[in-house]
Amino acid sequence: MSSTTPRHTALDALHRSLGATMTDFAGWDMPLRYGSERDEHLAVRTKAGLFDLSHMGEITVTGPEAAALLDYALVGNLGSVKVGRARYTMICREDGGILDDLIVYRLGETEYMVVANASNAQVVLDALTERAAAHGDFDAVVRDDRDAYSLLAIQGPESPGILKSLTDADLDGLKYYAGLPGTVADVPALIARTGYTGEDGFELFVAPADAEKLWQALTEAGSSAGLVPCGLSCRDTLRLEAGMPLYGHELSTSLTPFDAGLGRVVKFEKEGDFVGREALAAAAARAESSPPRVLVGLIAEGRRVPRAGYAVVAGGKVVGEVTSGAPSPTLGKPIAMAYVDAAHSAPCTPGVGVDIRGSHEPYEVVALPFYKRQK
Amino acid sequence: MSIPQQLRYSKEHEWLSVAEDGVSTVGITEFAANALGDVVYVQLPEVGDTVTAGETCGELESTKSVSDLYSPVTGEVTEINQDVVDDPALVNTAPFEGGWLFKVRIAEEPKDLLSAAEYTEFSGSDSAS
């Protein structure tokens, strides 16, 4: 981070009034938890939770060649996304390394909103700007809209009911990974049915000046349904249980999407060249013939918690590395995601453990995700 | 933030009760419990172990991290709190009561422990760092 002074969201004073424990996240001072992170986690799984995600980086791409630019700059087929829908995709380097994972909303025929991770927002903005100037200039404008939006998320099985009480928008018609402009509690919002928790839920992009009003309205509307404010700590355990990767843990510039088991996001069939195509084609072939390591789930037999960077061991040898680990509130056991040598990556492979500060603790290898909601 | 008057405190955020028949109780403070977040695993010394003031004698795991447990005093462990092993959340919900960790027969009068007033000041300044 270039700055030593943390950035604050529009809801900063509100978080403090709620007694939040704050933490630095990618240069932002963000709520880690308000009370017990386990209770917050379980509220999202069974009722509803309210998050401030205003640290996420919004970048708007507009113009006649907005779709063409994104098809060139990203690995996905963004031109095929229908207006009002969203797509999970990635931006890679020429060598195939992942710069960031993204959600891209198509707001109009010639308008997209790219949502980047806070830690990578500048990198993504710079890459898109640079790539817009390539190939004799795309007729498209890349705009930094990070300060134009606050982002609130309401997640959990009660969230549709809560949100319905505050909006006339057609939530029943709003599919997973779709977004539509509307009004929530008299606040203009882009209402998206997305999230990072493994539950049904919504993300609401609003003007920062409206963020507090919307937060209060959601809190009030949700109180009888059990909605609680939730911090980044439970967001991390929720996404881990749902098997969702986190940049800097499961994803990095030294991995291609194929190394991360997410090769499906790379759309070779799309028209025209895109950044990383050649390297990614080679990575795809490599992953097919001889995968180096595979991203797997690990479930502890004991109670000690694996942490990022801990070695995965088998037969006294290092066979992998933990990328994320935490006690799972849903499973009641420690869980982890880890890159493990292909030979040890099959579910139920015997003899796999994690080196937890010198002692080899037994772990069960499982396929991801750990948790899938019942629909 | 609760900081009981009758206890003494270490700079590693453990508390030590007044000895009864030479035996004191050890736990971690509410400040420490809040800083850790939900405690999910507690590894304690075993009964009969000798613990040494300022040295690690166990560990506490929370959602986000693992922390060493330091003994605030030198002596022999006479009892551990099985309830907190079975239900580590007691450390968060009742750090000074049901969430106590172990009892120790004091071999050396502890030095460098803080009074409640001193610890209040210490943890106040520590939290700002």
Side-chain angles (χ1 to χ4, degrees):
Chain A
M1 285 301 107
S2 55
S3 162
T4 51
T5 319
R7 300 184 64 184
H8 298 103
T9 78
L11 296 166
D12 187 68
L14 201 146
H15 298 319
R16 287 166 204 281
S17 75
L18 290 169
T21 300
M22 306 297 285
T23 189
D24 176 82
F25 187 85
W28 290 80
D29 204 22
M30 298 298 293
L32 182 64
R33 56 187 141 80
Y34 298 84
S36 156
E37 61 247 323
R38 185 175 170 278
D39 291 349
E40 292 170 20
H41 180 113
L42 295 174
V44 173
R45 285 274 177 264
T46 59
K47 297 180 180 102
L50 181 59
F51 297 83
D52 178 9
L53 306 177
S54 300
H55 59 309
M56 300 297 285
E58 297 85 3
I59 300 161
T60 304
V61 180
T62 57
E65 290 187 316
L69 165 58
L70 292 176
D71 279 344
Y72 168 71
L74 312 180
V75 301
N77 190 345
L78 287 307
S80 73
V81 177
K82 292 194 172 70
V83 172
R85 300 305 301 265
R87 187 70 53 83
Y88 176 77
T89 186
M90 292 185 184
I91 182 167
C92 289
R93 302 193 302 198
E94 199 64 69
D95 70 359
I98 302 165
L99 282 174
D100 201 8
D101 63 337
L102 309 164
I103 294 180
V104 178
Y105 296 87
R106 189 164 200 174
L107 304 179
E109 204 54 48
T110 58
E111 181 176 3
Y112 291 82
M113 181 169 72
V114 176
V115 181
N117 283 296
S119 53
N120 293 325
Q122 189 63 48
V123 168
V124 174
L125 180 66
D126 291 347
L128 287 177
T129 305
E130 188 186 308
R131 291 172 191 187
H135 284 256
D137 274 348
F138 285 94
D139 189 0
V141 175
V142 176
R143 188 172 74 227
D144 179 1
D145 268 346
R146 283 177 287 183
D147 293 338
Y149 293 105
S150 285
L151 175 56
L152 276 61
I154 177 168
Q155 300 278 302
E158 297 289 342
S159 54
I162 295 167
L163 198 56
K164 262 181 212 167
S165 71
L166 295 173
T167 182
D168 295 333
D170 176 20
L171 298 185
D172 292 331
L174 188 67
K175 294 179 182 155
Y176 187 53
Y177 266 75
L180 62 88
T183 304
V184 181
D186 296 326
V187 167
L190 172 66
I191 307 168
R193 199 159 204 157
T194 46
Y196 193 50
T197 60
E199 295 302 331
D200 193 7
F202 302 86
E203 295 184 310
L204 308 169
F205 296 85
V206 300
D210 291 332
E212 191 164 336
K213 182 182 173 189
L214 179 59
W215 178 283
Q216 301 286 23
L218 288 164
T219 301
E220 205 167 301
S223 63
S224 62
L227 174 125
V228 298
C230 291
L232 294 184
S233 182
C234 80
R235 182 169 153 89
D236 191 42
T237 50
L238 287 160
R239 70 91 194 168
L240 175 58
E241 286 184 349
M244 295 171 165
L246 173 61
Y247 198 90
H249 289 254
E250 287 72 37
L251 309 177
S252 74
T253 51
S254 60
L255 296 171
T256 72
F258 295 94
D259 300 317
L262 291 165
R264 60 184 163 78
V265 305
V266 182
K267 304 297 183 191
F268 291 114
E269 68 275 18
K270 67 182 171 180
E271 276 179 42
D273 192 23
F274 64 94
V275 177
R277 179 190 274 272
E278 203 173 316
L280 289 166
R286 204 167 56 234
E288 188 75 24
S289 58
S290 58
R293 283 185 169 181
V294 178
L295 188 65
V296 300
L298 298 173
I299 299 179
E301 292 173 22
R303 291 170 70 176
R304 301 180 85 199
V305 183
R307 307 289 177 181
Y310 286 13
V312 180
V313 290
K317 286 192 182 139
V318 174
V319 299
E321 185 177 317
V322 171
T323 49
S324 298
S328 160
T330 303
L331 277 67
K333 296 172 179 176
I335 58 170
M337 286 201 263
Y339 282 108
V340 173
D341 289 350
H344 298 274
S345 64
C348 302
T349 303
V352 173
V354 175
D355 183 339
I356 297 194
R357 299 180 294 285
S359 92
H360 290 187
E361 306 275 336
Y363 273 75
E364 182 191 351
V365 179
V366 299
L368 294 168
F370 299 97
Y371 169 84
K372 206 162 186 192
R373 79 183 159 105
Q374 306 294 316
K375 288 183 189 171
Chain B
M1 184 85 53
S2 170
I3 298 178
Q5 283 299 318
Q6 71 280 14
L7 305 177
R8 284 186 290 171
Y9 299 89
S10 74
K11 290 186 175 175
E12 286 82 27
H13 306 282
E14 281 84 24
W15 56 262
L16 184 73
S17 73
V18 178
E20 286 179 38
D21 299 329
V23 175
S24 282
T25 305
V26 174
I28 69 164
T29 66
E30 185 179 350
F31 176 88
N34 285 351
L36 285 172
D38 289 340
V39 176
V40 296
Y41 172 73
V42 175
Q43 188 184 56
L44 298 176
E46 290 179 21
V47 172
D49 282 358
T50 298
V51 292
T52 306
E55 293 191 4
T56 63
C57 62
E59 58 187 34
L60 299 167
E61 292 224 39
S62 62
T63 301
K64 279 286 168 207
S65 65
V66 58
S67 305
D68 284 325
L69 173 66
Y70 294 88
S71 180
V73 67
T74 299
E76 184 189 326
V77 176
T78 61
E79 190 180 345
I80 63 158
N81 185 358
Q82 190 60 40
D83 289 347
V84 89
V85 173
D86 296 337
D87 180 14
L90 284 170
V91 173
N92 297 103
T93 55
F96 297 111
E97 291 161 7
W100 65 274
L101 298 177
F102 61 89
K103 296 189 181 190
V104 57
R105 182 170 301 283
I106 293 178
E108 285 174 33
E109 188 51 30
K111 295 182 287 248
D112 303 327
L113 292 184
L114 307 176
S115 68
E118 289 166 333
Y119 180 69
T120 303
E121 190 178 346
F122 174 76
S123 56
S125 59
D126 195 62
S127 67
S129 66

